Amino acid sequence: MNIIRDVLDNQLVDSDRRHLGKVDGIVIELRDGEPPRLTYIETGMTTLGRRIHPRLGRWVAAIESSWGAKQSEPLRIPWSKVRNVGIDVEVEIEADKTPALAYEKWLREHIISRIPGAEHGNS
């Protein structure tokens, strides 16, 4: 498998096929005398910013914190939780039990719910 081509920037989906965002980063463990080992995939704006430039990653983390983000650290998913790599990267986790949907929930509570005629149920 070509990790960069097949995994990076692909859509992440949970066990129920809910979208979790894109794979923004890959964490590899370097070990003495052994081949590198893929340990985690990451998703989050901080990771994406760091891919462009480390300073941008720090800036994104600072902005997220100042805007009241509960989670400015990227979501790390152990490679052992990856179930399938195809068009999507399927992981064995539940989206609602992770901070992956924090921005959607924040937007729903603070912006969408204030729009006249907006639905107030879970989407």
Side-chain angles (χ1 to χ4, degrees):
M1 174 185 328
N2 184 328
I3 299 298
I4 302 299
R5 182 196 66 214
D6 295 340
V7 177
L8 197 61
D9 295 326
N10 282 6
Q11 180 67 53
L12 272 171
V13 294
D14 75 355
S15 325
D16 296 323
R17 304 285 305 158
R18 285 179 288 190
H19 290 216
L20 294 166
K22 301 278 185 173
V23 178
D24 296 315
I26 295 171
V27 179
I28 296 174
E29 178 184 11
L30 301 176
R31 305 172 292 172
D32 288 335
E34 296 184 46
R37 181 176 69 169
L38 181 58
T39 53
Y40 296 99
I41 55 176
E42 287 185 341
T43 185
M45 290 302 294
T46 304
T47 298
L48 186 58
R50 257 194 333 250
R51 273 178 58 192
I52 297 168
H53 192 278
R55 191 177 302 151
L56 180 59
R58 289 189 300 271
W59 182 77
V60 169
I63 293 294
E64 286 178 335
S65 294
S66 70
W67 285 356
K70 294 181 177 87
Q71 181 76 25
S72 62
E73 289 297 312
L75 171 63
R76 275 193 170 177
I77 301 168
W79 183 252
S80 61
K81 297 287 186 183
V82 173
R83 292 295 161 240
N84 187 30
V85 175
I87 294 173
D88 297 330
V89 176
E90 298 174 32
V91 292
E92 188 180 293
I93 61 172
E94 294 179 43
D96 293 336
K97 295 183 179 178
T98 72
L101 303 178
Y103 284 112
E104 287 184 26
K105 290 175 185 175
W106 186 89
L107 282 171
R108 187 181 319 127
E109 292 171 12
H110 295 92
I111 307 295
I112 304 299
S113 66
R114 295 181 181 175
I115 297 172
E119 291 184 35
H120 294 280
N122 291 335
S123 46

